[in-house]
Amino acid sequence: MGIGWNGKSLREMLDEYEAKSESGYYYGIEELKLREDDFFKYERFYYRLLNATLEARERVKFACASPGTRELGELLFLVHAPEGEAAAISLGLMAHVTVVENVIKTIIRENYEETVGIRDGDIFVDNDPYTGGAHPADSRLIVPVFHEGELICWVGSISHELEIGGGTPGSFNPFAVESFTCGERISVERVGEKNQFYPWFIRRLRRNSRAPDLWILDERAKLSGCLIIKERIKEIIEEFGVDYFKQALRELIEEGRRDMEARIKRQLVPGKYRIPHFCPVLYKGEGVPPHADRDYIIHLPLEIEITPEAKIIFSYEGASRWGWHSFNMYPGALESALWLSLIETLLYDGRVTSGGKLQTELIRPIGSITNPDYPYAGDGIPWVILTGEISMSSLAIYLAQFARGYIEECIEIGANWASLEGGGITRFGTSFGFTNFEFSACAQGARPIEDGLVAAAAPWMPETDTGNAEIWEIVLNTASYLYRGVIRNSCGHGKFIGGPAWGSLWVSWKPTVFTIVASGSFSGMISYQPFGLMGGYPAPSWSFFIIRNPEIFEKISNGEIYPGIVELFEHTKNKGLDEEIEVRKGFANSRMAQDRSIFGIIYGGGVGYGDPIERDPEKVAEDVNNGIITEEVAKNVYGVVLEYDESKGVYSVNPDETVEMRSKIRENRKKRGRPVKEWWMEERKKIKEGKLPPYAIEMYKECIEFSEKFRDEFTKFWQISEKDIMG
């Protein structure tokens, strides 16, 4: 007899679910009987279950050690049906709705019920992307919930750990070209029983992380949260009865599917939407193994088809092969990104369950970067690409909503992020490691009705914050903040401007060894975007910089330089000291810091919406007065001529000169413009004559060899033969 419902094994329940769901309904449920019979009882049941996940998250945040979970709430709790589908999901890391489900299904498919045993009080942990997660930094803890000997459901939790070991300190390991150096890997393991962790598991974390206390206490806090939910489930079963609990769990998941179906029909225009995506890999000279020591381009085109039957099909035909880098994506990674884009564009006020997945299909060519056929491909930081996928898919949804007349909902989810990590040995001889998660407060893109916000959006977590600087200083251990602030001229320009970028500045204090690692989205180079919308400008890329000359810090201490990022750059430029600053833009890099080294990062801005010369001139003047843009940008980009009132210390609009300036900008555009056909002919000539950049030729050759569909579409569009590109 199995431990599942009514004596079935979990494998029997999973097989039954998959067979019945072929009908298009979750588990074949065509009627929501409980909802129809007593709507208020049904709603009360749902909110009791949902509130259990919310209660657990809010309570255990204060027991978590890492600022990522405590300060920013990088934490998620879920309740799953026995076969794995999620029925209730807390706030938090909404990108990871599907990943616990994947782990549960691995437990079922690999027959843990018989070979390992699944008992009340058992604890399972997994952070292996190969079994369904996004990357190793996301640790998933799962416990079974039993009622009278029957596994009634599962409770799961996820958190992002700030230091997981690996070749470089932190949690992302951007230079790990195989999984072996991506950090500590726990692959669907039972790590405790009777609601207690095994001692070997705690010892294992302590021996494999530069900041083990953060990880250990996070796991204990997640376990505490899961136990809180278990107790609330017992109370719910006592109040509603076990039969009601079982049926309601399934109806909630099916209701989530119906909600998704209804929103697709109501908000989106059917059709195919294509978004390009190119990602540079700049590993040459960065100390990676010889077979990975080169620069090249990843091709990752996205086609979204919205069918009249209210299904959304995501296709990655034409994607590059998996490669020797840390950005490969196993199944859970893409699922996380695409599901998150749907939550933020369609289900932002809906009932989020796993049921909505039945309205989607994901096409990932085997052997591509989206579905590696090598089980040990580097997977430390696929998010540098995945956030682009979130942005791309949200842009496609935005276009489909816009075509239907939904304006206020339209937004391109921000993907212009960067991360600062590091670690080493303190002056006291102790190890340390960190990932500064203040980057969760990304700049928000503009919308058709309003400007974007600064430091107010994160694609992976709707609730966003920078965290307290003092807390991050404790974690960094050997560095202190000098500055946090907004960067001028860093917004995506437009009729409505994107949120401006902001940055942070630190100084290091007497480390024995201190390695700093910066990485982030591939924006601002040859990459996908962030696109501007409807004539709006894209946003500037992120950048990292370091100054190792201690004399610069002495000048800050003496008051000769204001400790701001812009002021620091201006001082070094004016004094002819440009060489003192090493700047790296838009790709991962690793650098050593010394005593009193100054280092900083500028996070990316948000995209603009609409033509900049259509922006209200008074708003442009306000932007200048608020330090968002300069007078020069106001004139040259927005066509707004300003006058400075020295007595009041503010700028005001000169309306006549503004009208004239905007007229000149329009005339200059007409002179620069040319027919698309003319541009197409020039580009086609470059292809036929082999005059594309070498990186581009190499990329297209690989994709043409790998994908017949891409080959046919590419050669047809450019009216060339395969030989023209392959040589």
Side-chain angles (χ1 to χ4, degrees), residues 89 136 197 241 261 271 295 347 361 466 468 656 671:
I89 301 162
F197 289 113
E261 179 184 42
D295 297 338
L347 297 174
E361 181 182 346
T466 60
N468 290 304
D656 293 335
K671 293 177 182 178

Side-chain angles (χ1 to χ4, degrees), residues 315-320 363-372 706-707:
S315 175
Y316 286 92
E317 284 284 352
S320 295
I363 300 173
R364 301 174 298 110
I366 296 174
S368 73
I369 186 176
T370 67
N371 193 6
F706 187 49
S707 171

Side-chain angles (χ1 to χ4, degrees), residues 224-435:
S224 299
C226 288
L227 296 180
I228 289 171
I229 297 173
K230 282 182 68 173
E231 289 302 311
R232 296 295 174 264
I233 288 173
K234 290 178 182 179
E235 295 170 4
I236 292 170
I237 291 175
E238 186 175 328
E239 178 181 349
F240 290 86
V242 67
D243 291 336
Y244 191 97
F245 182 93
K246 292 178 180 180
Q247 182 64 19
L249 211 62
R250 286 182 173 166
E251 288 195 15
L252 286 172
I253 298 171
E254 167 58 17
E255 186 185 10
R257 186 203 65 78
R258 296 185 184 195
D259 189 21
M260 173 71 88
E261 179 184 42
R263 289 167 185 257
I264 294 172
K265 288 181 177 179
R266 183 172 64 248
Q267 294 188 30
L268 308 183
V269 172
K272 291 184 178 181
Y273 302 80
R274 293 181 174 180
I275 312 292
H277 191 174
F278 305 94
C279 307
V281 177
L282 307 178
Y283 273 170
K284 187 70 175 177
E286 290 292 339
V288 297
H291 58 280
D293 187 30
R294 67 188 187 99
D295 297 338
Y296 56 101
I297 304 172
I298 295 171
H299 186 223
L300 197 64
L302 171 62
E303 178 183 277
I304 292 182
E305 181 179 2
I306 300 169
T307 72
E309 296 76 29
K311 290 200 72 172
I312 303 180
I313 302 170
F314 300 89
S315 175
Y316 286 92
E317 284 284 352
S320 295
R321 294 182 183 273
W322 70 269
W324 300 109
H325 50 70
S326 197
F327 322 124
N328 297 289
M329 295 170 275
Y330 288 106
L334 261 183
E335 288 179 359
S336 295
L338 300 179
W339 187 241
L340 178 60
S341 69
L342 294 176
I343 291 174
E344 295 204 18
T345 55
L346 286 177
L347 297 174
Y348 47 84
D349 62 346
R351 186 162 293 177
V352 180
T353 74
S354 291
K357 279 180 58 180
L358 293 175
Q359 295 303 122
T360 66
E361 181 182 346
L362 180 56
I363 300 173
R364 301 174 298 110
I366 296 174
S368 73
I369 186 176
T370 67
N371 193 6
D373 52 3
Y374 177 56
Y376 308 110
D379 52 14
I381 185 170
W383 281 110
V384 298
I385 296 177
L386 287 175
T387 45
E389 295 306 301
I390 295 171
S391 188
M392 291 165 62
S393 55
S394 70
L395 176 58
I397 299 297
Y398 153 76
L399 294 172
Q401 287 175 319
F402 192 90
R404 184 70 80 184
Y406 285 85
I407 305 301
E408 295 177 358
E409 289 81 355
C410 296
I411 185 171
E412 182 188 14
I413 300 172
N416 202 356
W417 68 280
S419 167
L420 191 75
E421 308 174 90
I425 302 175
T426 70
R427 61 185 180 276
F428 306 111
T430 57
S431 69
F432 75 100
F434 67 90
T435 304

Side-chain angles (χ1 to χ4, degrees), residues 57 72-74 92-94 340 344 440 458-464:
R57 181 173 182 269
L72 278 68
E74 287 267 328
L93 276 172
M94 300 299 285
L340 178 60
E344 295 204 18
S440 287
W460 55 90
M461 191 176 69
E463 291 183 311
T464 190

Side-chain angles (χ1 to χ4, degrees), residues 8 15 77 157 185 212 227 236 250 268 283 305 308 312 361 373 380 429 557 584 623 644 686 702 706:
K8 295 179 181 178
D15 290 343
F77 284 95
S157 179
R185 194 153 301 222
L227 296 180
I236 292 170
R250 286 182 173 166
L268 308 183
Y283 273 170
E305 181 179 2
I312 303 180
E361 181 182 346
D373 52 3
S557 300
R584 299 280 293 179
D623 295 336
Y644 186 66
K686 290 179 184 178
E702 178 186 71
F706 187 49

